[in-house]
Amino acid sequence: MNSSARAFWLGSPGRGEIRDESLPEPGAGEVVVRTLYSGVSRGTETLVFRGGVPVSQHGAMRAPFQEGDFPGPVKYGYLNVGVVEAGPPELAGRTVFCLYPHQTRYVVPASAVTVVPERVPAGRAVLAGTVETAVNALWDAAPLVGDRIAVVGGGMVGCSVAALLARFPGVRVQLVDADPARATVAEALGVGFATPGDALDGCDLVVHASATEQGLARSLELLTAEGTVLELSWYGDRTVSLPLGEAFHSRRLVIRSSQVGTVSPARRGNRGYADRLALALDLLADPALDALITGECAFEELPEVMPRLASGEISALCHRVRYGTDA
């Protein structure tokens, strides 16, 4: 077994580097995975990259296989697709998804990997973690047939939610974003598009994922009486102000949080984390979701690319990282 690997680390806020790693010998019930692709979850990972994780949230924000601590040095990430090089016979040679950081090879328990269905290309499977977030959000939101729904914020999570809502019968779904270029993505996903000023109101449900207070305020304005905003944004160390003194109480509006760290209470009794992730991977058979992958670089380029993603110079949804065959 090749016992060496390379990994992307955040050395300090704003500065990434590639480090050599030594892999342990796999034990019973463990697998060795050679990475094919990983994905940069732009919202969360760029917040980590700039050092914006509040001290109070250091524990909640830990990734499953994170090494180091915030603000750095830390090895962080959770969208990884690779091939099992060694392990139990039923997994050997299979393409798998794992919540692992950006690293060329790694050793994890076999229970930590999920087999990617054959009909799902490995390059698209990096979206599994974000589509899993969207699944959990819709378990929380419980949209109904015929609902009028807006998704405010056309980032990776918002677009994933919109893509799943496009499959619901009879619903009116509109993706709302300040960037008119997101209209192309919305069209590929099969949903409507509007800028914030032109969005349709009277919504039964608004899913908010813009991570801005302006977006959350606009989400409230788009609701019908007794409507709900499902809040998916992660604000890190930023404070958010809201106009709750206007018609918020008289219209009996609701703001509800949703977070992927726990399975939605609506399904917790009969679904676990593995079930949720397997469902997300199954949903990725839809080629329309390729629209969420808007950029790609080689693993070796990550130290130069991450600052550009964090600054917005590269305007990406999911930025895919490819690994060489000798990874």
Side-chain angles (χ1 to χ4, degrees):
M1 184 192 91
N2 186 339
S3 61
S4 64
R6 290 172 294 150
F8 176 76
W9 281 74
L10 174 63
S12 60
R15 183 180 62 83
E17 58 192 41
I18 292 177
R19 298 183 180 183
D20 292 330
E21 304 267 342
S22 294
L23 300 185
E25 283 292 328
E30 292 187 321
V31 292
V32 181
V33 180
R34 174 174 55 84
T35 304
L36 298 173
Y37 298 98
S38 61
V40 178
S41 179
R42 186 172 177 271
T44 303
E45 287 199 55
T46 58
L47 187 147
V48 170
F49 188 77
R50 69 175 179 82
V53 180
V55 174
S56 65
Q57 295 300 304
H58 281 191
M61 280 287 291
R62 286 193 68 85
F65 294 99
Q66 172 181 325
E67 291 185 35
D69 295 301
F70 304 118
V74 63
K75 183 171 71 176
Y76 191 84
Y78 47 82
L79 302 174
N80 190 298
V81 176
V83 173
V84 175
E85 291 189 318
E90 65 272 17
L91 290 175
R94 303 295 296 274
T95 300
V96 295
F97 176 86
C98 185
L99 297 168
Y100 205 87
H102 310 282
Q103 183 165 314
T104 57
R105 278 185 173 86
Y106 53 92
V107 177
V108 293
S111 59
V113 302
T114 301
V115 174
V116 175
E118 291 186 4
R119 62 188 178 279
V120 178
R124 190 188 304 152
V126 296
L127 297 170
T130 307
V131 173
E132 183 184 12
T133 299
V135 167
N136 205 59
L138 294 181
W139 283 350
D140 279 335
L144 300 176
V145 173
D147 272 359
R148 296 158 294 182
I149 304 172
V151 180
V152 176
M156 194 172 168
V157 171
C159 285
S160 296
V161 171
L164 299 191
L165 284 171
R167 305 164 183 231
F168 278 64
V171 300
R172 182 192 80 189
V173 185
Q174 191 171 58
L175 182 67
V176 180
D177 197 274
D179 182 0
R182 288 289 187 260
T184 303
V185 179
E187 182 179 7
L189 298 177
V191 300
F193 177 81
T195 56
D198 296 327
L200 298 172
D201 59 10
C203 293
D204 304 288
L205 169 68
V206 177
V207 179
H208 179 240
S210 82
T212 66
E213 64 179 47
Q214 296 90 344
L216 183 51
R218 184 62 177 138
S219 297
L220 289 170
E221 294 173 350
L222 296 177
L223 288 176
T224 190
E226 300 190 354
T228 296
V229 170
L230 189 76
E231 177 58 279
L232 294 181
S233 299
W234 168 246
Y235 297 94
D237 55 359
R238 290 176 291 144
T239 300
V240 176
S241 299
L242 282 179
L244 300 183
E246 299 180 7
F248 180 77
H249 288 87
S250 63
R251 297 174 61 216
R252 298 179 61 83
L253 303 182
V254 175
I255 302 174
R256 182 180 179 187
S257 67
S258 178
Q259 207 272 340
V260 72
T262 57
V263 174
S264 168
R267 292 292 179 271
R268 197 175 297 162
N270 54 14
R271 300 287 199 284
Y273 293 102
D275 300 304
R276 191 177 65 182
L277 181 55
L279 173 59
L281 280 163
D282 192 59
L283 291 168
L284 280 166
D286 186 351
L289 288 159
D290 283 332
L292 275 62
I293 299 171
T294 55
E296 185 175 282
C297 71
F299 168 73
E300 293 78 7
E301 298 173 310
L302 263 179
E304 291 74 40
V305 169
M306 281 296 292
R308 298 171 63 198
L309 287 169
S311 69
E313 179 186 343
I314 299 177
S315 180
L317 291 175
C318 177
H319 189 86
R320 186 167 61 196
V321 182
R322 65 179 181 275
Y323 294 70
T325 56
D326 60 344

